[in-house]
Amino acid sequence: MKAALYSRSGAAAEVLRVEEVDRPQPGPGEVLVRVRASGVNPTDHKARSGAVPRPINGFQVPHQDGAGIIEAVGAGVDPGRVGERVWLWLAAAGRQWGTAAEWTVVPERQAVPLPDGASFDLGASLGVPAMTAHYCVFSDGPVTGQTVLVAGGAGAVGHFAIELAKRDGARVVATVSSPEKAALAEKAGADLVVNYRSADAAQQIRAFAPAVDRVIEVALGANLALDLALARPGTTIMTYAAEASDPVLPVRACMTANVILRFMLLYTLPAAALDRAAADITAALAAGDLTGLPVRRFPLDAIAAAHEAAESGAVGKIIVTP
């Protein structure tokens, strides 16, 4: 089969290549999936670049997320799953076979039924961002009736955080940095969208809600002052991404605000949290409550260009089609 791979970390154009390799076979408890779409996330290019180094066993096929059709199953897996449309999560987590290839193998629980109304592009857009968003929104329970602030509402995590919080009955405020991104956050269903660069951003949000109950935070250092200005005692600020340099924490201001600071990383979540996220996301898909961001597609042979587009901060979702 054709697969994108790398044997050492480095710049995309220097280390990524496309080669013919032996097709993997599903072992016990695994499924073989013909990949129709492979999603690119920051975690993928950070692993490849060495920014977040991970062991490489000979070579690594990148990408955690994807969607396709099950073509074979290993021992212990229901043969009736052959032919099933699925979306994939954490395919390359501690494993050699990511989704940037014509086929991949994953544990069967990581191949989740993809509802008929959902496209392969949408399926490949879930995984890391939607599951991250799910945990950020629901790790402390339902948000029904709460006001949720989503920082970076036009990003992939922010997009799904808006939709999942709205599905649960929250009022959602999203912050963005441009009119183009504001349109995306509005389309996702945010009740209020504010440019965080505006001098009166806090006042605009307070006019909508005196305080927020939960913050889904993409840049704690850059946004903490705004978050604290909008907090009430007990507000939770959930951070899911790291900035280039660690922020200096204003301890007294956090104490005065009586906020709760929480952090998460998808790779270390308990299995039960991941399984709940996968089930809830699939239910939301089936109900038509999750949508995709604008897609830019790249063929497998252009894998380096796909990574470079993702690293440049391109708005929307980068999809590789093996």
Side-chain angles (χ1 to χ4, degrees), residues 75-123:
V77 180
D78 179 4
R81 295 204 68 187
V82 172
E84 192 174 82
R85 301 170 77 250
V86 291
W87 63 275
L88 310 176
W89 54 271
L90 295 188
R95 299 171 60 87
Q96 188 176 40
W97 303 104
T99 66
E102 292 180 309
W103 281 269
T104 190
V105 288
V106 296
E108 69 159 327
R109 64 186 273 267
Q110 291 168 232
V112 186
L114 181 66
D116 289 338
S119 69
F120 287 120
D121 282 352
L122 178 53

mmCIF file of all heavy atoms in Angstrom, residues 75-123:
data_model
loop_
_atom_site.group_PDB
_atom_site.id
_atom_site.type_symbol
_atom_site.label_atom_id
_atom_site.label_comp_id
_atom_site.label_asym_id
_atom_site.label_seq_id
_atom_site.Cartn_x
_atom_site.Cartn_y
_atom_site.Cartn_z
ATOM 1 N N ALA A 75 -8.984 -11.512 15.301
ATOM 2 C CA ALA A 75 -9.635 -12.472 16.192
ATOM 3 C C ALA A 75 -10.358 -11.747 17.317
ATOM 4 O O ALA A 75 -9.853 -10.771 17.873
ATOM 5 C CB ALA A 75 -8.589 -13.435 16.768
ATOM 6 N N GLY A 76 -11.556 -12.227 17.615
ATOM 7 C CA GLY A 76 -12.321 -11.652 18.707
ATOM 8 C C GLY A 76 -13.200 -10.485 18.322
ATOM 9 O O GLY A 76 -13.921 -9.946 19.162
ATOM 10 N N VAL A 77 -13.151 -10.068 17.054
ATOM 11 C CA VAL A 77 -13.969 -8.950 16.582
ATOM 12 C C VAL A 77 -15.113 -9.508 15.736
ATOM 13 O O VAL A 77 -14.912 -10.405 14.911
ATOM 14 C CB VAL A 77 -13.139 -7.949 15.759
ATOM 15 C CG1 VAL A 77 -14.017 -6.799 15.274
ATOM 16 C CG2 VAL A 77 -11.974 -7.418 16.579
ATOM 17 N N ASP A 78 -16.288 -8.971 15.928
ATOM 18 C CA ASP A 78 -17.472 -9.409 15.182
ATOM 19 C C ASP A 78 -17.232 -9.251 13.679
ATOM 20 O O ASP A 78 -17.022 -8.135 13.197
ATOM 21 C CB ASP A 78 -18.674 -8.563 15.617
ATOM 22 C CG ASP A 78 -19.959 -8.929 14.884
ATOM 23 O OD1 ASP A 78 -19.949 -9.886 14.082
ATOM 24 O OD2 ASP A 78 -20.962 -8.227 15.112
ATOM 25 N N PRO A 79 -17.270 -10.343 12.896
ATOM 26 C CA PRO A 79 -17.075 -10.228 11.448
ATOM 27 C C PRO A 79 -18.130 -9.354 10.774
ATOM 28 O O PRO A 79 -17.923 -8.858 9.669
ATOM 29 C CB PRO A 79 -17.177 -11.679 10.954
ATOM 30 C CG PRO A 79 -17.071 -12.542 12.149
ATOM 31 C CD PRO A 79 -17.475 -11.727 13.330
ATOM 32 N N GLY A 80 -19.250 -9.165 11.448
ATOM 33 C CA GLY A 80 -20.295 -8.317 10.901
ATOM 34 C C GLY A 80 -19.885 -6.860 10.764
ATOM 35 O O GLY A 80 -20.586 -6.075 10.122
ATOM 36 N N ARG A 81 -18.744 -6.493 11.369
ATOM 37 C CA ARG A 81 -18.285 -5.112 11.239
ATOM 38 C C ARG A 81 -17.647 -4.834 9.871
ATOM 39 O O ARG A 81 -17.450 -3.659 9.520
ATOM 40 C CB ARG A 81 -17.282 -4.764 12.349
ATOM 41 C CG ARG A 81 -17.868 -4.780 13.749
ATOM 42 C CD ARG A 81 -17.083 -3.900 14.705
ATOM 43 N NE ARG A 81 -17.210 -2.484 14.370
ATOM 44 C CZ ARG A 81 -16.519 -1.508 14.969
ATOM 45 N NH1 ARG A 81 -15.647 -1.812 15.923
ATOM 46 N NH2 ARG A 81 -16.692 -0.250 14.626
ATOM 47 N N VAL A 82 -17.302 -5.865 9.124
ATOM 48 C CA VAL A 82 -16.734 -5.654 7.790
ATOM 49 C C VAL A 82 -17.746 -4.889 6.935
ATOM 50 O O VAL A 82 -18.931 -5.231 6.884
ATOM 51 C CB VAL A 82 -16.354 -6.993 7.135
ATOM 52 C CG1 VAL A 82 -15.949 -6.784 5.677
ATOM 53 C CG2 VAL A 82 -15.230 -7.659 7.913
ATOM 54 N N GLY A 83 -17.276 -3.847 6.274
ATOM 55 C CA GLY A 83 -18.137 -2.996 5.459
ATOM 56 C C GLY A 83 -18.692 -1.792 6.197
ATOM 57 O O GLY A 83 -19.357 -0.942 5.589
ATOM 58 N N GLU A 84 -18.423 -1.685 7.496
ATOM 59 C CA GLU A 84 -18.955 -0.585 8.304
ATOM 60 C C GLU A 84 -18.172 0.704 8.055
ATOM 61 O O GLU A 84 -16.940 0.711 8.020
ATOM 62 C CB GLU A 84 -18.846 -0.977 9.774
ATOM 63 C CG GLU A 84 -19.593 -0.095 10.746
ATOM 64 C CD GLU A 84 -19.523 -0.683 12.158
ATOM 65 O OE1 GLU A 84 -18.492 -0.457 12.834
ATOM 66 O OE2 GLU A 84 -20.479 -1.356 12.573
ATOM 67 N N ARG A 85 -18.904 1.803 7.885
ATOM 68 C CA ARG A 85 -18.278 3.128 7.816
ATOM 69 C C ARG A 85 -17.897 3.545 9.236
ATOM 70 O O ARG A 85 -18.716 3.423 10.162
ATOM 71 C CB ARG A 85 -19.234 4.170 7.220
ATOM 72 C CG ARG A 85 -19.719 3.857 5.841
ATOM 73 C CD ARG A 85 -20.844 4.791 5.421
ATOM 74 N NE ARG A 85 -20.377 6.107 5.029
ATOM 75 C CZ ARG A 85 -20.567 7.238 5.707
ATOM 76 N NH1 ARG A 85 -21.242 7.222 6.868
ATOM 77 N NH2 ARG A 85 -20.121 8.395 5.262
ATOM 78 N N VAL A 86 -16.676 4.059 9.416
ATOM 79 C CA VAL A 86 -16.200 4.374 10.764
ATOM 80 C C VAL A 86 -15.387 5.661 10.776
ATOM 81 O O VAL A 86 -14.814 6.072 9.767
ATOM 82 C CB VAL A 86 -15.332 3.229 11.344
ATOM 83 C CG1 VAL A 86 -16.175 1.994 11.626
ATOM 84 C CG2 VAL A 86 -14.163 2.890 10.415
ATOM 85 N N TRP A 87 -15.364 6.296 11.955
ATOM 86 C CA TRP A 87 -14.410 7.367 12.202
ATOM 87 C C TRP A 87 -13.412 6.876 13.243
ATOM 88 O O TRP A 87 -13.749 6.063 14.114
ATOM 89 C CB TRP A 87 -15.086 8.677 12.615
ATOM 90 C CG TRP A 87 -15.865 8.707 13.890
ATOM 91 C CD1 TRP A 87 -17.166 8.339 14.074
ATOM 92 C CD2 TRP A 87 -15.409 9.165 15.174
ATOM 93 N NE1 TRP A 87 -17.556 8.537 15.375
ATOM 94 C CE2 TRP A 87 -16.496 9.048 16.076
ATOM 95 C CE3 TRP A 87 -14.198 9.689 15.641
ATOM 96 C CZ2 TRP A 87 -16.397 9.423 17.417
ATOM 97 C CZ3 TRP A 87 -14.099 10.063 16.976
ATOM 98 C CH2 TRP A 87 -15.187 9.927 17.850
ATOM 99 N N LEU A 88 -12.177 7.325 13.122
ATOM 100 C CA LEU A 88 -11.070 6.782 13.906
ATOM 101 C C LEU A 88 -10.500 7.835 14.845
ATOM 102 O O LEU A 88 -10.433 9.018 14.500
ATOM 103 C CB LEU A 88 -9.949 6.300 12.976
ATOM 104 C CG LEU A 88 -10.374 5.375 11.830
ATOM 105 C CD1 LEU A 88 -9.180 5.060 10.931
ATOM 106 C CD2 LEU A 88 -11.006 4.106 12.364
ATOM 107 N N TRP A 89 -10.069 7.384 16.027
ATOM 108 C CA TRP A 89 -9.441 8.316 16.977
ATOM 109 C C TRP A 89 -8.167 7.706 17.557
ATOM 110 O O TRP A 89 -8.090 6.506 17.803
ATOM 111 C CB TRP A 89 -10.412 8.741 18.077
ATOM 112 C CG TRP A 89 -11.086 7.664 18.870
ATOM 113 C CD1 TRP A 89 -12.279 7.047 18.573
ATOM 114 C CD2 TRP A 89 -10.642 7.093 20.112
ATOM 115 N NE1 TRP A 89 -12.597 6.136 19.557
ATOM 116 C CE2 TRP A 89 -11.614 6.137 20.512
ATOM 117 C CE3 TRP A 89 -9.534 7.309 20.934
ATOM 118 C CZ2 TRP A 89 -11.505 5.391 21.682
ATOM 119 C CZ3 TRP A 89 -9.415 6.569 22.105
ATOM 120 C CH2 TRP A 89 -10.388 5.634 22.476
ATOM 121 N N LEU A 90 -7.154 8.565 17.745
ATOM 122 C CA LEU A 90 -5.857 8.199 18.328
ATOM 123 C C LEU A 90 -5.257 6.965 17.666
ATOM 124 O O LEU A 90 -4.692 6.092 18.320
ATOM 125 C CB LEU A 90 -5.973 8.018 19.840
ATOM 126 C CG LEU A 90 -6.319 9.275 20.655
ATOM 127 C CD1 LEU A 90 -6.204 8.981 22.145
ATOM 128 C CD2 LEU A 90 -5.450 10.464 20.276
ATOM 129 N N ALA A 91 -5.326 6.917 16.337
ATOM 130 C CA ALA A 91 -4.810 5.763 15.595
ATOM 131 C C ALA A 91 -3.309 5.581 15.793
ATOM 132 O O ALA A 91 -2.809 4.453 15.807
ATOM 133 C CB ALA A 91 -5.123 5.921 14.104
ATOM 134 N N ALA A 92 -2.573 6.689 15.917
ATOM 135 C CA ALA A 92 -1.113 6.612 15.996
ATOM 136 C C ALA A 92 -0.589 6.785 17.421
ATOM 137 O O ALA A 92 0.611 6.956 17.612
ATOM 138 C CB ALA A 92 -0.494 7.678 15.086
ATOM 139 N N ALA A 93 -1.447 6.724 18.417
ATOM 140 C CA ALA A 93 -1.021 6.912 19.804
ATOM 141 C C ALA A 93 -0.302 5.650 20.291
ATOM 142 O O ALA A 93 -0.942 4.640 20.576
ATOM 143 C CB ALA A 93 -2.206 7.223 20.698
ATOM 144 N N GLY A 94 1.031 5.710 20.344
ATOM 145 C CA GLY A 94 1.808 4.553 20.740
ATOM 146 C C GLY A 94 1.795 3.440 19.715
ATOM 147 O O GLY A 94 2.154 2.299 20.024
ATOM 148 N N ARG A 95 1.431 3.750 18.483
ATOM 149 C CA ARG A 95 1.318 2.762 17.414
ATOM 150 C C ARG A 95 1.969 3.303 16.142
ATOM 151 O O ARG A 95 2.057 4.505 15.942
ATOM 152 C CB ARG A 95 -0.154 2.425 17.144
ATOM 153 C CG ARG A 95 -0.895 1.829 18.345
ATOM 154 C CD ARG A 95 -2.395 1.726 18.095
ATOM 155 N NE ARG A 95 -2.698 0.886 16.967
ATOM 156 C CZ ARG A 95 -2.854 -0.445 17.039
ATOM 157 N NH1 ARG A 95 -2.717 -1.076 18.195
ATOM 158 N NH2 ARG A 95 -3.152 -1.155 15.967
ATOM 159 N N GLN A 96 2.386 2.396 15.291
ATOM 160 C CA GLN A 96 3.103 2.774 14.067
ATOM 161 C C GLN A 96 2.183 3.247 12.958
ATOM 162 O O GLN A 96 2.563 4.067 12.128
ATOM 163 C CB GLN A 96 3.915 1.571 13.579
ATOM 164 C CG GLN A 96 4.864 1.866 12.420
ATOM 165 C CD GLN A 96 5.706 0.647 12.071
ATOM 166 O OE1 GLN A 96 5.228 -0.483 12.070
ATOM 167 N NE2 GLN A 96 6.977 0.869 11.795
ATOM 168 N N TRP A 97 0.954 2.750 12.956
ATOM 169 C CA TRP A 97 0.076 2.940 11.800
ATOM 170 C C TRP A 97 -0.929 4.054 12.033
ATOM 171 O O TRP A 97 -2.022 3.834 12.535
ATOM 172 C CB TRP A 97 -0.645 1.633 11.465
ATOM 173 C CG TRP A 97 0.311 0.508 11.202
ATOM 174 C CD1 TRP A 97 0.620 -0.525 12.045
ATOM 175 C CD2 TRP A 97 1.109 0.324 10.038
ATOM 176 N NE1 TRP A 97 1.555 -1.345 11.470
ATOM 177 C CE2 TRP A 97 1.882 -0.849 10.232
ATOM 178 C CE3 TRP A 97 1.262 1.038 8.845
ATOM 179 C CZ2 TRP A 97 2.784 -1.326 9.286
ATOM 180 C CZ3 TRP A 97 2.158 0.562 7.894
ATOM 181 C CH2 TRP A 97 2.904 -0.603 8.109
ATOM 182 N N GLY A 98 -0.561 5.290 11.654
ATOM 183 C CA GLY A 98 -1.515 6.383 11.647
ATOM 184 C C GLY A 98 -2.420 6.281 10.429
ATOM 185 O O GLY A 98 -2.418 5.278 9.702
ATOM 186 N N THR A 99 -3.179 7.321 10.168
ATOM 187 C CA THR A 99 -4.186 7.261 9.102
ATOM 188 C C THR A 99 -3.712 7.839 7.773
ATOM 189 O O THR A 99 -4.474 7.813 6.796
ATOM 190 C CB THR A 99 -5.467 8.004 9.524
ATOM 191 O OG1 THR A 99 -5.182 9.399 9.663
ATOM 192 C CG2 THR A 99 -6.021 7.448 10.833
ATOM 193 N N ALA A 100 -2.481 8.339 7.682
ATOM 194 C CA ALA A 100 -1.981 8.914 6.429
ATOM 195 C C ALA A 100 -1.463 7.797 5.522
ATOM 196 O O ALA A 100 -0.284 7.738 5.153
ATOM 197 C CB ALA A 100 -0.890 9.939 6.704
ATOM 198 N N ALA A 101 -2.345 6.891 5.163
ATOM 199 C CA ALA A 101 -2.018 5.728 4.348
ATOM 200 C C ALA A 101 -3.305 5.184 3.745
ATOM 201 O O ALA A 101 -4.403 5.566 4.148
ATOM 202 C CB ALA A 101 -1.340 4.650 5.195
ATOM 203 N N GLU A 102 -3.156 4.284 2.786
ATOM 204 C CA GLU A 102 -4.356 3.724 2.159
ATOM 205 C C GLU A 102 -5.124 2.816 3.110
ATOM 206 O O GLU A 102 -6.344 2.700 2.996
ATOM 207 C CB GLU A 102 -3.949 2.965 0.891
ATOM 208 C CG GLU A 102 -3.428 3.889 -0.202
ATOM 209 C CD GLU A 102 -3.019 3.137 -1.450
ATOM 210 O OE1 GLU A 102 -2.239 2.162 -1.339
ATOM 211 O OE2 GLU A 102 -3.477 3.532 -2.550
ATOM 212 N N TRP A 103 -4.417 2.168 4.051
ATOM 213 C CA TRP A 103 -5.050 1.343 5.068
ATOM 214 C C TRP A 103 -4.399 1.616 6.419
ATOM 215 O O TRP A 103 -3.245 2.047 6.490
ATOM 216 C CB TRP A 103 -4.889 -0.151 4.761
ATOM 217 C CG TRP A 103 -5.813 -0.705 3.733
ATOM 218 C CD1 TRP A 103 -7.037 -1.273 3.919
ATOM 219 C CD2 TRP A 103 -5.583 -0.776 2.318
ATOM 220 N NE1 TRP A 103 -7.591 -1.687 2.726
ATOM 221 C CE2 TRP A 103 -6.712 -1.397 1.719
ATOM 222 C CE3 TRP A 103 -4.534 -0.365 1.484
ATOM 223 C CZ2 TRP A 103 -6.823 -1.619 0.352
ATOM 224 C CZ3 TRP A 103 -4.640 -0.579 0.124
ATOM 225 C CH2 TRP A 103 -5.771 -1.200 -0.439
ATOM 226 N N THR A 104 -5.128 1.372 7.467
ATOM 227 C CA THR A 104 -4.562 1.426 8.814
ATOM 228 C C THR A 104 -5.227 0.353 9.660
ATOM 229 O O THR A 104 -6.296 -0.162 9.300
ATOM 230 C CB THR A 104 -4.747 2.811 9.456
ATOM 231 O OG1 THR A 104 -3.986 2.888 10.666
ATOM 232 C CG2 THR A 104 -6.209 3.094 9.782
ATOM 233 N N VAL A 105 -4.582 0.005 10.773
ATOM 234 C CA VAL A 105 -5.185 -0.913 11.736
ATOM 235 C C VAL A 105 -5.295 -0.198 13.076
ATOM 236 O O VAL A 105 -4.377 0.524 13.479
ATOM 237 C CB VAL A 105 -4.380 -2.216 11.901
ATOM 238 C CG1 VAL A 105 -4.522 -3.097 10.690
ATOM 239 C CG2 VAL A 105 -2.916 -1.940 12.201
ATOM 240 N N VAL A 106 -6.417 -0.391 13.745
ATOM 241 C CA VAL A 106 -6.639 0.211 15.058
ATOM 242 C C VAL A 106 -7.385 -0.775 15.937
ATOM 243 O O VAL A 106 -8.076 -1.670 15.434
ATOM 244 C CB VAL A 106 -7.458 1.529 14.964
ATOM 245 C CG1 VAL A 106 -6.713 2.602 14.189
ATOM 246 C CG2 VAL A 106 -8.825 1.270 14.357
ATOM 247 N N PRO A 107 -7.272 -0.638 17.269
ATOM 248 C CA PRO A 107 -8.156 -1.406 18.149
ATOM 249 C C PRO A 107 -9.609 -1.114 17.791
ATOM 250 O O PRO A 107 -9.964 0.026 17.464
ATOM 251 C CB PRO A 107 -7.797 -0.882 19.546
ATOM 252 C CG PRO A 107 -6.389 -0.373 19.408
ATOM 253 C CD PRO A 107 -6.321 0.199 18.023
ATOM 254 N N GLU A 108 -10.462 -2.121 17.851
ATOM 255 C CA GLU A 108 -11.822 -1.944 17.320
ATOM 256 C C GLU A 108 -12.601 -0.835 18.012
ATOM 257 O O GLU A 108 -13.440 -0.182 17.385
ATOM 258 C CB GLU A 108 -12.595 -3.259 17.380
ATOM 259 C CG GLU A 108 -12.963 -3.764 18.756
ATOM 260 C CD GLU A 108 -14.139 -4.741 18.660
ATOM 261 O OE1 GLU A 108 -15.004 -4.575 17.785
ATOM 262 O OE2 GLU A 108 -14.189 -5.669 19.482
ATOM 263 N N ARG A 109 -12.344 -0.568 19.308
ATOM 264 C CA ARG A 109 -13.085 0.493 19.991
ATOM 265 C C ARG A 109 -12.728 1.869 19.437
ATOM 266 O O ARG A 109 -13.470 2.833 19.641
ATOM 267 C CB ARG A 109 -12.837 0.460 21.500
ATOM 268 C CG ARG A 109 -11.419 0.741 21.926
ATOM 269 C CD ARG A 109 -11.228 0.536 23.433
ATOM 270 N NE ARG A 109 -11.533 1.717 24.207
ATOM 271 C CZ ARG A 109 -10.620 2.623 24.563
ATOM 272 N NH1 ARG A 109 -9.359 2.505 24.185
ATOM 273 N NH2 ARG A 109 -10.975 3.661 25.298
ATOM 274 N N GLN A 110 -11.586 1.973 18.722
ATOM 275 C CA GLN A 110 -11.170 3.243 18.147
ATOM 276 C C GLN A 110 -11.632 3.406 16.701
ATOM 277 O O GLN A 110 -11.250 4.370 16.031
ATOM 278 C CB GLN A 110 -9.652 3.392 18.267
ATOM 279 C CG GLN A 110 -9.202 3.586 19.713
ATOM 280 C CD GLN A 110 -7.711 3.450 19.919
ATOM 281 O OE1 GLN A 110 -7.264 2.691 20.793
ATOM 282 N NE2 GLN A 110 -6.936 4.187 19.142
ATOM 283 N N ALA A 111 -12.447 2.479 16.252
ATOM 284 C CA ALA A 111 -13.136 2.594 14.968
ATOM 285 C C ALA A 111 -14.623 2.664 15.285
ATOM 286 O O ALA A 111 -15.267 1.654 15.565
ATOM 287 C CB ALA A 111 -12.819 1.398 14.078
ATOM 288 N N VAL A 112 -15.163 3.870 15.280
ATOM 289 C CA VAL A 112 -16.520 4.130 15.779
ATOM 290 C C VAL A 112 -17.474 4.261 14.595
ATOM 291 O O VAL A 112 -17.156 4.950 13.613
ATOM 292 C CB VAL A 112 -16.535 5.433 16.614
ATOM 293 C CG1 VAL A 112 -17.896 5.627 17.268
ATOM 294 C CG2 VAL A 112 -15.425 5.412 17.664
ATOM 295 N N PRO A 113 -18.636 3.632 14.642
ATOM 296 C CA PRO A 113 -19.587 3.737 13.526
ATOM 297 C C PRO A 113 -19.855 5.191 13.140
ATOM 298 O O PRO A 113 -20.138 6.033 13.991
ATOM 299 C CB PRO A 113 -20.841 3.052 14.067
ATOM 300 C CG PRO A 113 -20.319 2.058 15.063
ATOM 301 C CD PRO A 113 -19.144 2.736 15.705
ATOM 302 N N LEU A 114 -19.750 5.459 11.847
ATOM 303 C CA LEU A 114 -19.985 6.798 11.308
ATOM 304 C C LEU A 114 -21.393 6.836 10.726
ATOM 305 O O LEU A 114 -21.687 6.102 9.778
ATOM 306 C CB LEU A 114 -18.945 7.113 10.226
ATOM 307 C CG LEU A 114 -19.023 8.491 9.561
ATOM 308 C CD1 LEU A 114 -18.708 9.602 10.559
ATOM 309 C CD2 LEU A 114 -18.055 8.564 8.369
ATOM 310 N N PRO A 115 -22.277 7.663 11.294
ATOM 311 C CA PRO A 115 -23.656 7.716 10.793
ATOM 312 C C PRO A 115 -23.700 8.002 9.297
ATOM 313 O O PRO A 115 -22.852 8.716 8.742
ATOM 314 C CB PRO A 115 -24.279 8.859 11.605
ATOM 315 C CG PRO A 115 -23.479 8.888 12.880
ATOM 316 C CD PRO A 115 -22.080 8.538 12.463
ATOM 317 N N ASP A 116 -24.713 7.459 8.630
ATOM 318 C CA ASP A 116 -24.809 7.571 7.175
ATOM 319 C C ASP A 116 -24.827 9.015 6.699
ATOM 320 O O ASP A 116 -24.351 9.323 5.615
ATOM 321 C CB ASP A 116 -26.065 6.839 6.682
ATOM 322 C CG ASP A 116 -25.930 5.331 6.797
ATOM 323 O OD1 ASP A 116 -24.789 4.844 6.851
ATOM 324 O OD2 ASP A 116 -26.973 4.653 6.833
ATOM 325 N N GLY A 117 -25.377 9.921 7.490
ATOM 326 C CA GLY A 117 -25.465 11.302 7.052
ATOM 327 C C GLY A 117 -24.180 12.096 7.194
ATOM 328 O O GLY A 117 -24.113 13.251 6.760
ATOM 329 N N ALA A 118 -23.165 11.507 7.801
ATOM 330 C CA ALA A 118 -21.900 12.209 8.040
ATOM 331 C C ALA A 118 -20.885 11.814 6.979
ATOM 332 O O ALA A 118 -20.680 10.631 6.700
ATOM 333 C CB ALA A 118 -21.364 11.875 9.432
ATOM 334 N N SER A 119 -20.220 12.790 6.393
ATOM 335 C CA SER A 119 -19.234 12.526 5.349
ATOM 336 C C SER A 119 -17.941 11.994 5.943
ATOM 337 O O SER A 119 -17.675 12.126 7.141
ATOM 338 C CB SER A 119 -18.940 13.808 4.573
ATOM 339 O OG SER A 119 -18.238 14.730 5.407
ATOM 340 N N PHE A 120 -17.115 11.394 5.082
ATOM 341 C CA PHE A 120 -15.807 10.947 5.538
ATOM 342 C C PHE A 120 -14.950 12.139 5.975
ATOM 343 O O PHE A 120 -14.165 12.026 6.922
ATOM 344 C CB PHE A 120 -15.100 10.154 4.439
ATOM 345 C CG PHE A 120 -15.676 8.786 4.214
ATOM 346 C CD1 PHE A 120 -16.197 8.442 2.972
ATOM 347 C CD2 PHE A 120 -15.710 7.838 5.223
ATOM 348 C CE1 PHE A 120 -16.728 7.180 2.747
ATOM 349 C CE2 PHE A 120 -16.249 6.572 5.017
ATOM 350 C CZ PHE A 120 -16.756 6.247 3.772
ATOM 351 N N ASP A 121 -15.077 13.279 5.300
ATOM 352 C CA ASP A 121 -14.334 14.476 5.716
ATOM 353 C C ASP A 121 -14.703 14.869 7.139
ATOM 354 O O ASP A 121 -13.826 15.186 7.951
ATOM 355 C CB ASP A 121 -14.624 15.650 4.766
ATOM 356 C CG ASP A 121 -13.867 15.563 3.452
ATOM 357 O OD1 ASP A 121 -12.989 14.678 3.325
ATOM 358 O OD2 ASP A 121 -14.147 16.384 2.555
ATOM 359 N N LEU A 122 -16.001 14.849 7.444
ATOM 360 C CA LEU A 122 -16.427 15.193 8.801
ATOM 361 C C LEU A 122 -15.921 14.145 9.788
ATOM 362 O O LEU A 122 -15.432 14.480 10.874
ATOM 363 C CB LEU A 122 -17.946 15.316 8.871
ATOM 364 C CG LEU A 122 -18.551 15.633 10.245
ATOM 365 C CD1 LEU A 122 -17.906 16.870 10.859
ATOM 366 C CD2 LEU A 122 -20.065 15.806 10.139
ATOM 367 N N GLY A 123 -16.017 12.873 9.426
ATOM 368 C CA GLY A 123 -15.519 11.828 10.304
ATOM 369 C C GLY A 123 -14.052 11.991 10.626
ATOM 370 O O GLY A 123 -13.613 11.788 11.773
#
